[in-house]
């Protein structure tokens, strides 16, 4: 069908004759803007039923049609359904359309419900639909009315304001404006759904005592029952801090820093681990859903110092050659550092981490450092692999020490970690090539995401 020629026959004064053909087939068309009517309603037999103005301008000519709101955007194949062709002058920025027939004349199948007046725009060459302007209306019997989508706002109030102790009943109240807007409010704490409540008289309320200890960002989102009349809206986040509930003398509040082996046995400070061994670390004290960066620092053992008892005694003969100068002890080796892909604490601010000792890890003292990207909280776990030389001083047990950031790290820790506190000079030099062997693989898995992390992945470095 040559739409342009057909429109030209109907409105030769508005549209030049000839041109490309616009095929009248179903098509998806972008919404270019809205249509404003000079009245809020009328009857379906009025002719003209309104004077319409688009919020913008079509690239070329256009055609006004009436379709059910759920119908696809398409050019009617039956010209009797065309309400009015339209065009605009070069200086115009919008279209003013005066319908040439009533709604009842354009659609013999009118029924009660949601309909849409559409100003379909042709492309410059008239070969396709470039988009359309729309005006939603509701038809009831012989009457029609413009459906105005009214903007809504949602505000959230939380009582008590906090900080509150874990287990305390929290009341979340969402206020929706205008109060006449009916619908449902969904309440969330970060990415966790707390529940829904119907809006009544402009408010919706939810109570909960299930928020775990940690920092939470509470939100509320309004979904209207009638999206043709009211828009959806979201409230700004309301922060709330929940503290751990106080327990008995023998029950510490909330999770505590702990390290267990694959059988669930708790490990003491600075345990000796074997390559390939898997442990689970529970590290509380981070912010809710906080990104935690991981770093493993290794200080390799040096070669043992020579035993003076095994050295030959110097000769007492005056004619003996002078003893050679003693060989100075080797300089301590530089620590090796590996960084790994970050993991995420859970909604309580607790990091549950499965750690597998890398197969290629050299014997030495090791410090796994977990640092909160936002809070700066630092948790540390010290361990060693291989038999520690007799001249090597084990790291001190700072399990209950002040730590860094929020503290509580196994192996204690100022910012320097345990490896800087050994206080013993390392002797001997392990060949650098042997220390920097091809990167093996260790595995870490974040308990909040339950996915395995491979040592040496993107972000991992060893220096």
């Amino acid at each position: 069908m040559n739409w342009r020629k057909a429109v030209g026959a109907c409105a030769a004064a508005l549209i030049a004759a000839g041109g490309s053909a616009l095929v009248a087939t179903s098509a998806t068309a972008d919404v270019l803007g809205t249509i404003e009517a000079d009245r809020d309603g009328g009857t379906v037999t009025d002719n003209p039923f309104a004077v319409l103005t688009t919020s913008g301008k079509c690239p070329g000519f256009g055609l006004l049609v009436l379709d059910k709101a759920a119908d696809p955007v398409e050019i009617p194949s039956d010209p009797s359904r065309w309400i009015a062709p339209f065009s605009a002058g070069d200086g115009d920025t919008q279209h003013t359309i005066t319908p040439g027939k009533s709604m009842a004349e354009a659609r013999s199948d009118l029924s009660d419900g949601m309909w849409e007046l559409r100003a379909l725009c042709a492309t410059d060459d008239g070969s396709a639909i470039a988009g359309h302007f729309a005006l939603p209306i509701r038809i009831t019997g012989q009457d029609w009315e413009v459906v105005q989508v009214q903007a809504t706002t949602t505000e959230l109030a939380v009582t008590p304001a906090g900080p509150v102790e874990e287990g305390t009943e929290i009341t979340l109240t969402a206020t929706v404006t205008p109060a006449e807007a009916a619908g449902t409010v969904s309440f969330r704490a970060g990415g966790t759904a707390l529940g829904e409540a119907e809006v009544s008289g402009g408010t919706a309320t939810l109570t909960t005592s299930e928020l775990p200890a940690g920092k939470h960002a509470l939100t509320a989102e309004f979904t209207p029952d009638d999206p043709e009349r009211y828009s959806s809206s979201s409230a700004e986040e309301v922060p709330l801090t929940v503290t751990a509930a106080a327990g008995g003398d023998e029950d510490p509040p909330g999770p505590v820093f702990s390290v267990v082996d694959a059988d669930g046995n708790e490990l003491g400070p600075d345990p000796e681990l074997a390559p390939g061994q898997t442990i689970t670390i529970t590290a509380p004290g981070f912010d809710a859903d906080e990104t935690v960066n991981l770093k493993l620092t290794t200080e390799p053992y040096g070669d043992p110092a020579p035993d003076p008892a095994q050295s030959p005694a110097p000769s007492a003969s005056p004619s003996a050659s002078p003893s050679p100068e003693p060989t100075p002890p080797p300089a301590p080796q530089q620590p090796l550092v590996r960084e790994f892909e970050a993991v995420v604490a859970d909604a309580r601010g607790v990091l549950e981490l499965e750690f597998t000792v890398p197969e290629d890890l050299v014997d030495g003292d090791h410090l796994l450092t977990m640092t909160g990207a936002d809070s700066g909280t630092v948790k540390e776990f010290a361990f060693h692999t291989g038999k520690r030389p007799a001249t090597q001083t084990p790291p001190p047990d700072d399990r209950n020490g002040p730590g860094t950031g929020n503290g509580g790290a196994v192996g204690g820790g100022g910012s320097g970690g345990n490896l800087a506190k050994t206080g013993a000079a390392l002797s001997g030099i392990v060949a650098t090539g042997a220390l920097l062997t091809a990167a093996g693989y260790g595995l870490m898995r974040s308990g909040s995401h339950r996915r395995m992390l491979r040592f040496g992945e993107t972000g991992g470095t060893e220096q």
Side-chain angles (χ1 to χ4, degrees):
M1 174 183 298
N2 192 319
W3 183 36
R4 185 164 189 169
K5 288 185 178 180
V7 172
C10 297
L14 295 176
I15 305 172
S20 302
L22 180 59
V23 181
T25 56
S26 298
T28 299
D30 293 334
V31 178
L32 301 178
T34 60
I35 299 174
E36 183 178 344
D38 66 346
R39 66 201 71 178
D40 293 333
T43 68
V44 296
T45 57
D46 292 339
N47 185 11
F49 53 84
V51 176
L52 309 175
T53 305
T54 60
S55 61
K57 184 179 177 181
C58 289
F61 57 90
L63 179 66
L64 180 67
V65 298
L66 176 63
D67 287 315
K68 291 182 178 180
D71 288 348
V73 178
E74 61 183 359
I75 305 162
S77 58
D78 181 3
S80 67
R81 287 180 50 191
W82 301 355
I83 297 177
F86 60 88
S87 186
D90 292 339
D92 294 340
T93 58
Q94 54 190 186
H95 302 282
T96 299
I97 308 168
T98 301
K101 60 180 66 176
S102 68
M103 293 182 185
E105 290 174 321
R107 294 296 298 251
S108 60
D109 59 344
L110 285 180
S111 59
D112 291 356
M114 293 299 302
W115 292 73
E116 194 171 65
L117 285 164
R118 295 170 178 167
L120 306 179
C121 296
T123 54
D124 286 332
D125 60 2
S127 62
I129 297 177
H132 73 286
F133 299 89
L135 174 65
I137 64 173
R138 178 182 282 107
I139 294 178
T140 306
Q142 293 295 305
D143 299 323
W144 68 272
E145 62 175 339
V146 174
V147 176
Q148 299 289 355
V149 179
Q150 188 172 357
T152 67
T153 60
T154 302
E155 296 182 356
L156 176 63
V158 179
T159 54
V164 297
E165 189 176 273
E166 190 174 12
T168 301
E169 185 173 85
I170 309 296
T171 300
L172 296 86
T173 303
T175 301
V176 179
T177 304
E180 296 78 18
T184 304
V185 172
S186 300
F187 297 93
R188 304 183 70 85
T192 303
L194 300 178
E196 297 182 345
E198 293 291 328
V199 177
S200 177
T203 62
T205 302
L206 178 76
T207 59
T208 180
S209 57
E210 302 301 320
L211 289 176
K215 296 180 181 180
H216 303 278
L218 305 179
T219 59
E221 182 175 353
F222 169 68
T223 302
D225 288 342
D226 187 356
E228 302 293 344
R229 284 188 175 273
Y230 299 103
S231 68
S232 59
S233 57
S234 299
E236 293 185 3
E237 291 183 351
V238 176
L240 179 69
T241 299
V242 179
T243 60
D249 293 340
E250 298 180 358
D251 298 320
V256 296
F257 194 105
S258 64
V259 184
V260 297
D261 63 17
D263 296 324
N265 301 312
E266 186 168 358
L267 302 178
D270 185 40
E272 180 177 340
L273 303 180
Q277 182 176 352
T278 297
I279 60 174
T280 299
I281 301 173
T282 300
F286 297 100
D287 286 350
D289 302 316
E290 182 177 18
T291 298
V292 179
N293 298 313
L294 304 174
K295 180 176 71 173
L296 181 65
T297 304
T298 296
E299 186 170 313
Y301 296 148
D303 291 333
D307 187 349
Q310 303 298 324
S311 302
S315 172
S317 170
S319 61
S321 300
S323 300
E325 292 294 327
T327 302
Q333 300 186 58
Q334 294 299 314
L336 307 176
V337 178
R338 296 182 180 182
E339 295 181 353
F340 305 100
E341 183 179 347
V343 291
V344 179
D346 63 19
R348 303 169 300 164
V350 178
L351 181 65
E352 295 281 355
L353 196 67
E354 285 189 4
F355 170 63
T356 299
V357 180
E359 295 285 353
D360 67 333
L361 196 62
V362 298
D363 289 348
D365 287 320
H366 313 282
L367 187 68
L368 179 64
T369 305
M370 298 152 276
T371 306
D374 299 321
S375 65
T377 298
V378 177
K379 302 292 181 179
E380 297 175 331
F381 168 60
F383 67 97
H384 65 279
T385 54
K387 186 172 180 59
R388 181 180 283 120
T391 57
Q392 190 95 9
T393 303
D397 179 11
D398 288 344
R399 177 183 293 267
N400 297 315
T404 303
N406 287 350
V410 171
S415 60
N418 290 328
L419 299 182
K421 300 180 183 178
T422 59
L426 299 178
S427 60
I429 299 177
V430 178
T432 301
L435 292 178
L436 301 179
T437 55
Y441 291 98
L443 298 175
M444 277 191 170
R445 181 168 61 191
S446 167
S448 60
H449 288 287
R450 310 305 298 171
R451 68 190 182 90
M452 302 300 292
L453 300 181
R454 187 180 294 274
F455 279 83
E457 301 184 322
T458 302
T461 61
E462 180 168 311
Q463 56 189 20

